[in-house]
Amino acid sequence: MASNAQIQTARAEFLDPSLYDDTGLAALPRLSRGTVLAALSRAFDLAEGRRPGHSQRVAYIGTFLAAELGMEPSQVEEVFFGCLLHDVGMAASAPGAQVETGRGARVVADSAHAADVLSAVDGGRWAAVIETLKAHCEHGARIGRKLGLGETVAKAIASHHDCWDGSGLSQSRAGEEAPLVARIVALADRVESMIDAESSPLAVRRRGPELIREMGGSELDPDLAEKMATIAERDTFWLGFYDNDLAATLMALGHGGMMSREELFDFLGVFADVVDGRNGRESGRSRRVADMARRVALTCDMTERRADLVKVAALLQDIGTLGVPAHFLSKPDILTIDEMSVVQLHPVYARDIVSEIPGLGAAAWWVGCHHERIDGKGYPGMLEGDEVPSEAQIIGMCEAFDALTSDRPYRRAMSREDAFEVMRGLAGTRFDPYLLARFESVAGPFPA
Ligand SMILES: [Fe+2]
Ligand SMILES: [Fe+2]
Ligand SMILES: [Fe+2]
């Protein structure tokens, strides 16, 4: 959970929109699947409570090993996606599921041995931990398939907690029965966790090869472990591993091919569905909000490109909620001040994740502002008036309207007319009246 110091730092860093201004470009950027996933993988790290960049570092290790083994480029690409997405299932857990995992989840993530979980988790809760972890493997494989990344990638995600000797999470698919891509993904995850657990880069540079060899034959394929240990004896491996530009390096590989505009919307839509599911919302809701936001942007005389960027921002607006414990988001009672402080960080998390994607700087800024209000009472930056971008307001009003007209556990959906009456009450405080009128022209008309 974020500390108060982290929260204050995030607030202090919030007020500089010029850092994100790339709206001069003529069209939506052409992005590869690998580029988008390298950035969004930071959201999966948040969901799993891992140090930022875990998934990216796993991808670096896996692709390094795959290339050393002389694998075909298509297989190296499968390793890359399997590594980046291995823990995406953590983002898809049902509300409340992560509450039960605690230390046991970290132990399994770090070592994958069921026996370790038994010793790490207090009285009887281990069964729930194991079930949650099995579920994240299955959820993750399903998401991999929805993203169209192929069955090999899906299977590697499903089995990333399996061990060579059959002592892993599923207690099966041991040894050479597991496909090579899956064994590499499992190894890369285990090796990154081992490195992360060591006290310093110098210490792990010295001990790393030996520790990797020790895992061979039990957790890891012994031949792969030996190969990896020899890689870990080279400085070039460590220079790349600790490179601050690792994300940019992974993005530059262009894995998965460039996406068309429609493919990009669909690809991001899969993640919007995942976030909706985790937050206890109906699947497809965020896609609906994003379509409406694009139409409202066009009626506000924005260009097609800007409207497309508004749609992208709307699809990703709540990706940062993956950094918020799921039980906060589904809590039926009023949140405590501390809980609220954490929830209010989600636009900052989302802004930082989206801003890593080349050409989406402006969208990242709007995402970061989607809970601001023109009266200065929003969050996280308490921006006022014109400081709140119109695009962020459009996203916020489409989201608010959709929420009011959807069923909730504590109330039935409002009629569209009633919902708009509520929205009118927010003119001049939450939303700019002109933008609200443009919104009505798309969503309405509603009798006054
Ligand atoms: Fe995992
Ligand atoms: Fe992992
Ligand atoms: Fe939000």
Side-chain angles (χ1 to χ4, degrees):
M1 186 182 299
S3 67
N4 280 343
Q6 279 176 307
I7 292 167
Q8 292 309 327
T9 308
R11 292 231 158 98
E13 285 173 351
F14 194 75
L15 300 170
D16 191 359
S18 67
L19 292 172
Y20 303 92
D21 189 6
D22 59 3
T23 50
L25 299 173
L28 208 58
R30 294 264 287 160
L31 296 165
S32 71
R33 287 164 181 80
T35 295
V36 172
L37 283 182
L40 296 190
S41 71
R42 298 184 83 95
F44 323 148
D45 299 339
L46 283 173
E48 209 203 1
R50 301 300 298 244
R51 195 162 67 82
H54 166 68
S55 301
Q56 292 174 357
R57 292 188 295 274
V58 171
Y60 171 75
I61 295 168
T63 48
F64 202 119
L65 176 57
E68 284 282 315
L69 292 169
M71 291 169 78
E72 293 291 319
S74 61
Q75 282 187 303
V76 176
E77 189 163 284
E78 287 167 342
V79 168
F80 176 84
F81 285 126
C83 288
L84 269 185
L85 286 165
H86 71 279
D87 275 330
V88 68
M90 276 293 182
S93 304
Q98 285 108 323
V99 186
E100 301 300 324
T101 59
R103 182 169 167 242
R106 287 303 311 270
V107 170
V108 172
D110 288 349
S111 82
H113 274 99
D116 291 338
V117 185
L118 294 179
S119 63
V121 184
D122 309 332
R125 277 182 52 213
W126 64 271
V129 173
I130 296 282
E131 281 316 305
T132 299
L133 286 161
K134 278 184 181 166
H136 94 284
C137 294
E138 287 155 20
H139 287 319
R142 215 170 300 135
I143 294 168
R145 288 188 187 99
K146 282 190 183 150
L147 290 168
L149 296 174
E151 203 46 35
T152 304
V153 172
K155 286 192 172 137
I157 297 168
S159 62
H160 76 274
H161 282 286
D162 285 355
C163 292
W164 172 264
D165 63 4
S167 64
L169 206 51
S170 71
Q171 312 263 300
S172 66
R173 297 178 54 77
E176 288 176 9
E177 282 172 42
L180 180 60
V181 171
R183 278 180 275 148
I184 293 176
V185 170
L187 174 145
D189 186 29
R190 242 56 70 71
V191 168
E192 201 285 335
S193 296
M194 178 275 291
I195 296 171
D196 204 35
E198 282 293 310
S199 53
S200 76
L202 279 179
V204 78
R205 167 70 185 85
R206 201 165 50 240
R207 296 188 58 219
E210 173 197 335
L211 292 173
I212 294 167
R213 284 192 178 95
E214 278 174 14
M215 289 191 275
S218 55
E219 287 191 52
L220 305 180
D221 175 331
D223 292 341
L224 290 182
E226 179 53 36
K227 186 78 185 170
M228 190 66 226
T230 61
I231 290 171
E233 285 163 353
R234 286 185 243 151
D235 288 338
T236 46
F237 169 77
W238 295 102
L239 286 171
F241 184 86
Y242 286 113
D243 186 352
N244 285 337
D245 289 331
L246 179 57
T249 304
L250 296 176
M251 289 177 184
L253 298 172
H255 281 310
M258 294 295 175
M259 287 181 278
S260 68
R261 175 178 167 276
E262 290 306 323
E263 284 171 333
L264 177 63
F265 289 148
D266 273 349
F267 203 70
L268 298 181
V270 172
F271 289 101
D273 291 344
V274 168
V275 172
D276 282 341
R278 180 177 185 266
N279 297 349
R281 309 268 174 86
E282 141 211 8
S283 181
R285 179 182 179 279
S286 289
R287 295 185 195 239
R288 194 167 63 219
V289 168
D291 281 337
M292 182 178 271
R294 183 177 180 280
R295 281 188 286 130
V296 176
L298 288 173
T299 66
C300 294
D301 297 327
M302 293 185 188
T303 61
E304 288 275 346
R305 176 185 191 265
R306 212 170 176 97
D308 282 349
L309 282 174
V310 168
K311 179 168 174 173
V312 165
L315 285 168
L316 293 173
Q317 62 173 307
D318 277 337
I319 195 93
T321 59
L322 299 183
V324 177
H327 61 289
F328 287 11
L329 300 165
S330 58
K331 188 175 171 184
D333 306 322
I334 294 172
L335 296 176
T336 65
I337 289 174
D338 283 350
E339 290 168 344
M340 186 57 84
S341 297
V342 175
V343 170
Q344 290 187 349
L345 280 177
H346 82 268
V348 180
Y349 291 146
R351 181 203 64 195
D352 290 350
I353 290 164
V354 178
S355 69
E356 286 214 346
I357 304 175
L360 296 189
W365 176 245
W366 305 334
V367 165
C369 296
H370 78 275
H371 284 289
E372 300 289 351
R373 304 166 49 114
I374 61 170
D375 62 5
K377 292 180 181 167
Y379 66 86
M382 299 178 79
L383 306 181
E384 279 183 71
D386 291 347
E387 290 176 338
V388 186
S390 303
E391 294 82 357
Q393 290 192 57
I394 290 169
I395 294 167
M397 63 183 69
C398 292
E399 164 75 21
F401 185 73
D402 198 273
L404 291 169
T405 52
S406 300
D407 279 327
R408 281 293 154 80
Y410 46 86
R411 64 158 171 76
R412 299 278 307 274
M414 283 185 196
S415 71
R416 292 164 64 81
E417 285 75 13
D418 286 350
F420 198 75
E421 199 52 46
V422 173
M423 302 283 288
R424 275 196 196 112
L426 300 172
T429 53
R430 169 116 200 240
F431 301 122
D432 176 277
Y434 168 77
L435 293 176
L436 207 50
R438 303 313 303 156
F439 170 77
E440 184 174 3
S441 74
V442 173
F446 305 100

